[in-house]
Amino acid sequence: QVLLVESGGGLVQAGASLRLSCAASGRAFSNYILAWFRQAPGKEREFVAAISRREVVKEYTDSVKGRFTISRDNAKNTVYLQMDSLKPEDTAVYYCGASSAVLSTSPRSYDYWGQGTQVTVSS
């Protein structure tokens, strides 16, 4: 069992930055693939970024490449999402997920989820 708790969301203006954190407790954090997804009202949960167990592989959805950076600190059991140059279309609830399998962009591959943190970007 892994418990995930996101933090760092908020209301910002377009062009600003936010850093999301997801703290984990429970079984060996370093054994999991970690990812960030987001869900806007009326839309399905969509992949944002994922990171492999040793940070060797990082994947991003096209719309955030060059603006968002995913990282993890296995000693602190925490995964981060640095979000720069935010746009109104980035507005959503952001969720972190943990997978014991392979790195995937599908939410169905993730075994554990946090409760989400709201990010709102005004124009």
Side-chain angles (χ1 to χ4, degrees), residues 7-13 15-21 67-69 80-86 90 92 94 117-121:
S7 61
L11 171 62
V12 297
Q13 291 189 329
S17 297
L18 281 174
R19 188 193 196 201
L20 305 184
S21 298
R67 300 189 298 122
F68 291 11
T69 303
Y80 305 97
L81 186 68
Q82 177 66 40
M83 305 187 296
D84 299 320
S85 303
L86 282 161
D90 294 319
Y94 283 70
T117 186
Q118 177 70 49
V119 172
T120 303
V121 185

Side-chain angles (χ1 to χ4, degrees), residues 31-46:
N31 289 343
Y32 291 90
I33 300 290
L34 300 167
W36 289 94
F37 286 75
R38 64 187 180 187
Q39 189 166 17
K43 295 187 177 181
E44 294 185 351
R45 190 168 297 191
E46 68 167 348

Side-chain angles (χ1 to χ4, degrees), residues 10 17 21 29 31 39 41-42 53 57 59-60 88 91-93 102 105 120:
S17 297
S21 298
F29 179 79
N31 289 343
Q39 189 166 17
R53 295 172 178 84
V57 178
E59 288 195 12
Y60 300 91
T91 296
V93 177
V102 298
T105 61
T120 303

